[in-house]
Amino acid sequence: QVQLVESGGSVVQPGTSLRLSCAASGFTFGSNGIHWVRQAPGKGLEWVTMISWDGRIKFYADSVKGRFTVSRDNSRNTLSLQMNSLRPEDTAVYYCAKDLAMTYTIDYWGQGTLVTVSS
Amino acid sequence: DIVMTQTPLSSPVTLGQPASISCRSSQSLVHSDGNTYLSWLQQRPGQPPRLLIYKISNRFSGVPDRFSGSGAGTDFTLRISRVEAEDVGVYYCMQATQFPWTFGQGTKVEIK
């Protein structure tokens, strides 16, 4: 079955960096676009970024553009999110999630990893 | 960015009774390819979101047929024909017609 397992969440200070990872299994990783979506404590969902199946196309939310970078390694079935210049408002659970093939939506989500930005 | 607005934000329902959630987008969700990429997701307490409906009315694999979606253009509805205890949670609409993808604020469904 499809599995997406995020890791790397931590408590960090404002202005620092953190790298999240997502390990995928149970599907042909190199065939799907992958997203990061975040959820601040007690709040709704916010789409963060998407990377295409081949890594050539990337989109970012304005709130993270220029600070976050998404990448993927299809040979290792892994996705990464490099987060720089972190702010308190970046505090959230970060979910890795995959595209449903042949359409635009998200069909499977990981369990999430918590990032807390606080001094 | 496309703004998604859900109503109501809270919906107390009686077991076995229907429930309905509306979602309105700030602009048409019809894509240049002719499809409308409006989805509905369910988030049970303590769980990640789960896809229920995509492209307005297509139920995802394993989703019970008591869930249905309808609508067009800018107005969409999720209906639960007979609410069960396991349906408690927050429901989100999501548009994937245009980047950035955006979500509604969420509607909390709870049992009266």
Side-chain angles (χ1 to χ4, degrees):
Chain A
Q1 73 279 26
V2 173
Q3 282 201 310
L4 297 159
V5 180
E6 304 92 338
S7 60
S10 181
V11 179
V12 296
Q13 293 195 329
T16 61
S17 299
L18 194 65
R19 188 176 185 89
L20 304 183
S21 296
C22 173
S25 61
F27 65 102
T28 306
F29 181 75
S31 297
N32 293 83
I34 306 289
H35 304 254
W36 288 98
V37 178
R38 68 185 180 183
Q39 186 169 35
K43 302 297 184 183
L45 301 168
E46 181 188 13
W47 176 87
V48 174
T49 181
M50 184 283 282
I51 185 168
S52 62
W53 64 275
D54 58 0
R56 296 171 70 177
I57 299 172
K58 303 174 185 180
F59 291 99
Y60 296 94
D62 284 347
S63 57
V64 307
K65 202 173 292 183
R67 300 187 300 122
F68 289 14
T69 302
V70 63
S71 60
R72 65 189 297 162
D73 184 342
N74 286 349
S75 66
R76 297 186 176 189
N77 287 4
T78 58
L79 180 79
S80 295
L81 183 66
Q82 178 65 40
M83 305 186 294
N84 298 331
S85 304
L86 282 162
R87 305 166 179 168
E89 56 264 36
D90 295 318
T91 294
V93 172
Y94 284 73
Y95 295 103
C96 168
K98 67 174 278 294
D99 268 355
L100 175 60
M102 307 304 291
T103 187
Y104 296 136
T105 192
I106 291 172
D107 60 354
Y108 287 100
W109 301 63
Q111 291 295 313
T113 187
L114 177 62
V115 173
T116 302
V117 185
S118 173
S119 53
Chain B
D1 297 2
I2 297 177
V3 177
M4 306 297 288
T5 303
Q6 289 181 227
T7 54
L9 297 184
S10 177
S11 180
V13 295
T14 302
L15 286 173
Q17 293 300 302
S20 179
I21 300 169
S22 294
C23 176
R24 177 167 290 179
S25 57
S26 59
Q27 61 191 79
S28 173
L29 297 186
V30 178
H31 193 273
S32 56
D33 66 8
N35 290 304
T36 300
Y37 296 108
L38 184 283
S39 299
W40 290 96
L41 302 100
Q42 174 197 61
Q43 188 173 31
R44 291 169 172 152
Q47 295 294 314
R50 166 198 179 200
L51 177 64
L52 297 176
I53 303 282
Y54 64 98
K55 283 202 303 184
I56 302 177
S57 60
N58 293 270
R59 262 189 308 276
F60 185 57
S61 173
V63 174
D65 61 7
R66 65 179 181 274
F67 290 94
S68 63
S70 64
T74 61
D75 288 286
F76 307 93
T77 302
L78 174 71
R79 290 187 176 85
I80 310 174
S81 59
R82 294 173 306 279
V83 171
E84 298 189 4
E86 66 179 18
D87 300 335
V88 165
V90 180
Y91 291 76
Y92 296 92
C93 59
M94 179 190 80
Q95 69 81 19
T97 292
Q98 177 184 117
F99 283 102
W101 291 10
T102 48
F103 296 88
Q105 320 96 299
T107 295
K108 187 173 186 178
V109 172
E110 53 193 359
I111 306 300
K112 277 185 188 171

